[in-house]
Amino acid sequence: MENNENAKKTLLSGIQPSGDLHLGNFLGAVKNWAEIADEFDCYYFMADLHTLTVRQDPKELRRRSVAQLAQYIACGLDPEKNTLFLQSHVHEHAELGWILNCYTMFGELSRMTQFKDKSAKNADNINGGLFTYPALMAADILLYQADFVPVGQDQKQHCELTRDIAIRFNNLYGETFKVPEPYIPKVGARIMSLGAPTSKMSKSDPQGCVFLLDKPEEIARKFKRAVTDSDTEHCVYYDAENKPGVANLMSIYSSVTGKTFDEIEKEFDGKGYGVFKPAVGDAVVEALRPIREEAERIMADKAYLQQVYTDGAQKASYIARKTLRKVYKKVGLVEKPF
Ligand code: TRP
């Protein structure tokens, strides 16, 4: 049974097409996803419906949804092994989202920290979608009967709520949904901002963020300016608490070269930050070069991308449809005769 295709567990994650991918996304998540493709039945989708909870430029959203898919493929997510699609192409997400809204409590949604954060940031647009976002996310996950959901710390609360919704529904109507677990990768670095190394690398801080599509000169410049510390000896050793900047650069260097912290400390012993920072920059340039070139090649191939997301949506729809049909029946909707 172990090697049987059907015995593979299902893993699913959504990605909001709200910006270009950066080094933190790559080293912290996607690189790992590419490596588990054979172990799980994997679904990854561009969560374009979720992105609408914050105002978007329609043209940009359309461009980014496809460009991001290209970047994921360039990072090693093989469309032959993973089901890659756009959320809005599988209409069951919105439909199950509505149903699950009716099984998600106002109080639960009010406690979501992401809702509180995003409402504070978008005070002029605290819309209903922003509030009910977790019910749609629960639908995304439960439609595929996912066993595992790889998410960052910021999405743990939404995953917990998804479990609660699934359990609530199963208790009311009998076993309907698989109750999913968060997936914590065995490896995976948490990459911090180059400018503020105690905060996570984020696209909202472009100077501290290395985008996968940045040109080599740009990457080198960002690393030369990386914040370190006031250690006059410029010692390169790992101390995440007292030397967060150096620790972050060491993590990045280790992730892209495979070298251990010990080896890195020896390599830069007595050399100082002036040698260390550009060396990390060069290593990142070399690691990202093939990814950027591949992403540019794929982004230009519109027909190929369309084929990938068409195949992905067809495969996803097949599974999604089965779950939705079961749910409609359980809650008392009349079966559609056509
Ligand atoms: N909420 C996630 C984020 O902002 C994106 C997302 C939407 C997602 N649906 C999902 C993640 C389902 C995992 C599973 O990052």
Side-chain angles (χ1 to χ4, degrees):
M1 235 347 229
E2 286 274 48
N3 293 324
N4 183 333
E5 276 285 307
N6 300 326
K8 274 191 192 171
K9 301 262 190 199
T10 299
L11 181 142
L12 168 140
S13 197
I15 307 127
Q16 287 206 50
S18 53
D20 283 324
L21 291 190
H22 58 69
L23 192 63
N25 300 132
F26 176 58
L27 297 179
V30 195
K31 191 164 172 265
N32 183 256
W33 297 355
E35 285 160 12
I36 56 176
D38 293 320
E39 198 180 329
F40 300 103
D41 189 13
C42 297
Y43 293 79
Y44 300 103
F45 60 92
M46 305 301 129
D48 48 4
L49 297 175
H50 278 97
T51 307
L52 295 176
T53 56
V54 174
R55 286 286 170 268
Q56 303 291 329
D57 170 5
K59 245 175 96 189
E60 258 302 287
L61 175 59
R62 207 169 355 255
R63 184 194 65 76
R64 272 202 315 261
S65 300
V66 179
Q68 232 186 49
L69 173 65
Q71 290 170 48
Y72 276 93
I73 299 172
C75 286
L77 276 196
D78 180 351
E80 301 284 326
K81 292 184 178 173
N82 300 278
T83 305
L84 308 177
F85 63 102
L86 305 186
Q87 183 186 28
S88 60
H89 289 179
V90 182
H91 54 75
E92 285 81 359
H93 287 247
E95 293 167 305
L96 183 61
W98 168 253
I99 304 274
L100 296 184
N101 260 316
C102 304
Y103 296 84
T104 308
M105 300 302 139
F106 181 86
E108 288 174 321
L109 294 171
S110 309
R111 284 195 288 278
M112 294 294 119
T113 52
Q114 182 172 297
F115 171 67
K116 292 185 212 166
D117 291 350
K118 287 203 177 175
S119 336
K121 278 192 203 137
N122 301 283
D124 56 346
N125 184 24
I126 307 177
N127 60 70
L130 196 62
F131 187 62
T132 60
Y133 178 115
L136 179 60
M137 178 158 160
D140 299 337
I141 299 169
L142 301 179
L143 269 180
Y144 300 92
Q145 308 288 351
D147 296 278
F148 297 111
V149 186
V151 287
Q153 193 60 35
D154 60 325
Q155 297 298 319
K156 280 239 177 81
Q157 202 184 22
H158 291 161
C159 283
E160 266 312 305
L161 181 56
T162 298
R163 288 170 56 87
D164 293 343
I165 297 169
I167 293 168
R168 177 174 303 145
F169 196 97
N170 288 348
N171 284 341
L172 283 166
Y173 300 103
E175 209 52 33
T176 310
F177 296 124
K178 173 80 65 59
V179 180
E181 311 260 344
Y183 174 80
I184 318 287
K186 289 182 204 90
V187 286
R190 187 157 187 260
I191 304 300
M192 313 304 274
S193 161
L194 299 185
T198 50
S199 322
K200 214 169 104 172
M201 184 175 281
S202 151
K203 60 185 178 248
S204 56
D205 153 33
Q207 280 318 307
C209 181
V210 174
F211 292 97
L212 301 186
L213 301 181
D214 277 349
K215 297 276 179 280
E217 312 78 71
E218 182 81 4
I219 299 176
R221 192 177 57 74
K222 287 177 180 174
F223 276 95
K224 276 192 194 123
R225 290 198 190 157
V227 167
T228 45
D229 52 52
S230 53
D231 174 355
T232 47
E233 306 286 313
H234 280 198
C235 277
V236 175
Y237 62 91
Y238 194 85
D239 179 348
E241 200 163 314
N242 299 307
K243 293 168 79 76
V246 170
N248 186 39
L249 292 171
M250 286 179 74
S251 295
I252 294 173
Y253 193 63
S254 166
S255 292
V256 296
T257 61
K259 293 179 186 171
T260 64
F261 289 163
D262 271 353
E263 287 167 342
I264 299 170
E265 284 172 17
K266 284 204 190 83
E267 185 177 344
F268 296 100
D269 185 29
K271 300 229 169 82
Y273 298 161
V275 173
F276 176 53
K277 292 201 286 183
V280 180
D282 288 347
V284 170
V285 165
E286 289 321 312
L288 293 187
R289 188 188 303 280
I291 295 176
R292 176 173 48 87
E293 288 173 357
E294 181 68 353
E296 281 166 356
R297 192 187 65 72
I298 300 172
M299 283 192 293
D301 193 347
K302 299 270 184 298
Y304 167 73
L305 282 166
Q306 188 170 337
Q307 191 60 50
V308 167
Y309 65 69
T310 303
D311 292 348
Q314 276 168 352
K315 193 165 164 235
S317 294
Y318 176 76
I319 314 280
R321 205 181 304 140
K322 281 211 296 208
T323 303
L324 187 70
R325 199 180 296 137
K326 197 154 89 175
V327 170
Y328 271 18
K329 194 164 169 203
K330 293 212 173 184
V331 298
L333 302 178
V334 174
E335 199 182 342
K336 197 162 87 171
F338 53 89

